[in-house]
Amino acid sequence: MPRFRVPEITVERLSIYLRALKKFPEEKVLSSQELAELVGTTDAQVRKDITYFGEFGIPGQGYHVGKLKEEITHILALDREWELALVGVGKLGTALLAYPGFKKKEFRIRAIFDNDPKKIGIRIEGLIVRSVEKISETLSRYGIKIGIITTPAEAAQDVADRLVRGGVKGILNFAPVRIIVPEKVKLKNVDLSMELETLSYFLSEGTSTGSHNF
Amino acid sequence: MPRFRVPEITVERLSIYLRALKKFPEEKVLSSQELAELVGTTDAQVRKDITYFGEFGIPGQGYHVGKLKEEITHILALDREWELALVGVGKLGTALLAYPGFKKKEFRIRAIFDNDPKKIGIRIEGLIVRSVEKISETLSRYGIKIGIITTPAEAAQDVADRLVRGGVKGILNFAPVRIIVPEKVKLKNVDLSMELETLSYFLSEGTSTGSHNF
């Protein structure tokens, strides 16, 4: 494990490197410049990112694809299997259950929950929908450490509390609301409309609307 | 408009402030510390974020909710209406069409596309599915400037090229693949499994697996 705290943005880029590396044969050697082009950054950034975790380049040549893939996989803790719980099997929840990235062997959705009596007991993508009342006991029993919230905003905090009581260490929250969790739980908010708002800002850059003068 | 380039992370936080501010009456005044608590940052960070855009606090008191909301809305260019096109009405696309954040008046999905002949012509959430062949001409005709890609990975680049030919200035890409667009087009990749990979890294922090010694 690295000696110091690694910025979240670097961790995210490692994930992008890994994706890019998977397209090359194991035995190939890529320069930091080639890696940079693949992920859309600079070669200085590539070298900086990688040295966060130690030195495993080949001096004067670059990085061995197989070795680098293996290292990044290990750093991201993707050489183990994470079991997940998903709460809220509405449209977004159902879409995520079918999402290719959530069907990899390292992330396996093991239990799904909803509060709609009409949904409880039915099977979606091979999993039976359980009542939200059962979240804590199911998670404790299976040792599930990651929860995904895809409920409407008003249900999200209650669900988060249940996930925490069930012992999760990380939560991916898709509900369009801020939720509060204990400090020991890592929370990632994925707000799909915030992505649009950021885009809106950058699209309007330089197109003065005339009403502002600071 | 601000005089200098604002970091993406600040723009993202503005979006979070805006969300938090909407819960308060217009006439309320919040200190930077109160704002900080609401969005989970420090008061120094709040002051720094806000001064990127000029000074509109009340010295010794804080920020007037109504005024701050108005300013952030303007900064993010949310005081205008953006029309969007969505390409790929599979499970994820359909979920996004129903997503509350994508149904606000400032972001209105105007046209949807798919390449599946069985889907073309049907109506989803009030919109008729058009053929991907029609992307460029439809976007040009309606002046749509933002495209959302929710296709499988292998279709994403072709769709991006069509969106660019149709004149989009920004793309939100949900397909699990890197796409290439001209520099003038702002691209945001939303990779839902990357969010999980980042979480995996942070959950494993400090739990040494014994095989690493750098």
Side-chain angles (χ1 to χ4, degrees):
Chain A
M1 288 290 114
R3 271 167 307 195
F4 36 78
R5 208 176 160 74
V6 177
E8 192 145 337
I9 188 79
T10 301
V11 176
E12 282 172 12
R13 258 197 308 269
L14 285 182
S15 189
I16 302 174
Y17 293 131
L18 191 57
R19 231 160 228 90
L21 288 170
K22 283 180 179 161
K23 289 173 203 140
F24 293 89
E26 299 279 310
E27 65 281 4
K28 184 150 172 70
V29 172
L30 293 172
S31 67
S32 47
Q33 200 164 352
E34 284 171 304
L35 264 172
E37 276 168 25
L38 284 171
V39 305
T41 182
T42 62
D43 53 337
Q45 185 65 65
V46 167
R47 284 191 299 267
K48 193 174 165 219
D49 285 347
I50 289 173
T51 51
Y52 265 112
F53 302 96
E55 283 295 349
F56 41 82
I58 309 161
Q61 293 185 54
Y63 304 92
H64 186 273
V65 168
K67 178 84 178 135
L68 192 52
K69 256 168 59 179
E70 194 185 300
E71 292 289 343
I72 295 178
T73 301
H74 182 72
I75 289 163
L76 292 176
L78 300 176
D79 48 2
R80 51 161 289 179
E81 191 178 287
W82 295 98
E83 299 199 319
L84 320 176
L86 181 141
V87 189
V89 287
K91 282 188 172 149
L92 185 59
T94 310
L96 290 185
L97 284 171
Y99 190 70
F102 283 19
K103 292 189 140 178
K104 294 177 194 158
K105 95 176 169 356
E106 57 269 36
F107 298 112
R108 198 158 70 89
I109 295 177
R110 178 75 192 267
I112 59 178
F113 303 90
D114 205 284
N115 69 352
D116 180 351
K118 286 197 294 294
K119 286 182 184 164
I120 295 163
I122 67 165
R123 195 177 279 271
I124 300 177
E125 299 275 333
L127 292 161
I128 286 172
V129 181
R130 297 166 205 246
S131 161
V132 289
E133 308 279 328
K134 299 287 167 76
I135 292 175
S136 304
E137 65 171 271
T138 310
L139 268 58
S140 307
R141 194 183 331 137
Y142 294 143
I144 295 173
K145 295 298 176 210
I146 299 181
I148 303 174
I149 303 179
T150 47
T151 65
E154 57 276 16
Q157 185 63 58
D158 173 61
V159 164
D161 295 343
R162 290 174 188 273
L163 289 169
V164 169
R165 283 202 297 278
V168 293
K169 286 172 156 186
I171 292 179
L172 204 56
N173 175 38
F174 285 90
V177 64
R178 299 304 273 185
I179 54 176
I180 294 162
V181 295
E183 231 173 83
K184 63 179 194 297
V185 175
K186 175 80 185 172
L187 172 66
K188 283 217 72 165
N189 288 298
V190 186
D191 184 334
L192 302 173
S193 64
M194 266 181 56
E195 305 283 355
L196 275 180
E197 291 183 8
T198 324
L199 206 53
S200 161
Y201 169 80
F202 287 104
L203 297 196
S204 68
E205 250 185 332
T207 61
S208 173
T209 56
S211 69
H212 263 67
N213 296 297
F214 35 64
Chain B
M1 289 290 115
R3 271 167 306 197
F4 36 79
R5 205 172 162 78
V6 176
E8 192 145 338
I9 188 77
T10 301
V11 175
E12 282 171 11
R13 259 197 309 271
L14 286 182
S15 188
I16 302 174
Y17 293 131
L18 191 58
R19 232 160 227 90
L21 288 168
K22 284 180 179 162
K23 289 173 202 142
F24 293 90
E26 300 277 312
E27 63 281 4
K28 186 151 173 68
V29 172
L30 293 173
S31 67
S32 45
Q33 202 165 350
E34 285 171 305
L35 266 173
E37 276 166 28
L38 285 170
V39 306
T41 181
T42 63
D43 53 336
Q45 185 66 63
V46 167
R47 284 192 299 268
K48 195 176 164 215
D49 283 348
I50 289 174
T51 52
Y52 264 114
F53 302 97
E55 284 294 346
F56 41 81
I58 309 161
Q61 294 185 56
Y63 305 92
H64 186 273
V65 169
K67 178 82 177 137
L68 192 52
K69 257 169 56 180
E70 195 184 299
E71 292 289 345
I72 294 178
T73 301
H74 183 71
I75 289 164
L76 292 176
L78 300 176
D79 48 1
R80 51 162 289 180
E81 192 178 287
W82 294 100
E83 298 198 322
L84 320 177
L86 181 141
V87 188
V89 288
K91 283 187 171 150
L92 186 60
T94 310
L96 290 184
L97 284 170
Y99 189 70
F102 283 20
K103 291 189 140 179
K104 294 178 193 156
K105 91 174 172 359
E106 57 269 35
F107 298 111
R108 198 159 68 88
I109 295 177
R110 179 73 192 265
I112 59 178
F113 302 89
D114 206 284
N115 69 352
D116 179 351
K118 286 196 297 292
K119 288 181 183 164
I120 295 164
I122 68 165
R123 196 177 278 271
I124 299 177
E125 299 276 331
L127 292 161
I128 287 172
V129 180
R130 297 165 204 245
S131 161
V132 290
E133 307 279 329
K134 299 288 168 75
I135 292 175
S136 305
E137 66 170 90
T138 309
L139 268 58
S140 307
R141 194 182 332 136
Y142 293 143
I144 296 172
K145 295 297 177 212
I146 299 181
I148 303 174
I149 302 179
T150 47
T151 63
E154 57 275 17
Q157 184 63 57
D158 173 62
V159 165
D161 295 343
R162 290 175 188 273
L163 289 169
V164 169
R165 282 201 299 276
V168 294
K169 287 173 156 185
I171 292 178
L172 203 56
N173 175 36
F174 285 89
V177 64
R178 301 302 275 185
I179 54 176
I180 294 161
V181 295
E183 232 173 84
K184 62 178 198 291
V185 175
K186 175 80 185 169
L187 171 67
K188 285 217 71 167
N189 288 298
V190 186
D191 184 333
L192 303 173
S193 64
M194 266 181 56
E195 306 281 354
L196 275 180
E197 292 183 5
T198 324
L199 207 52
S200 161
Y201 169 79
F202 287 103
L203 297 195
S204 67
E205 248 185 333
T207 60
S208 172
T209 55
S211 70
H212 263 67
N213 296 298
F214 34 63

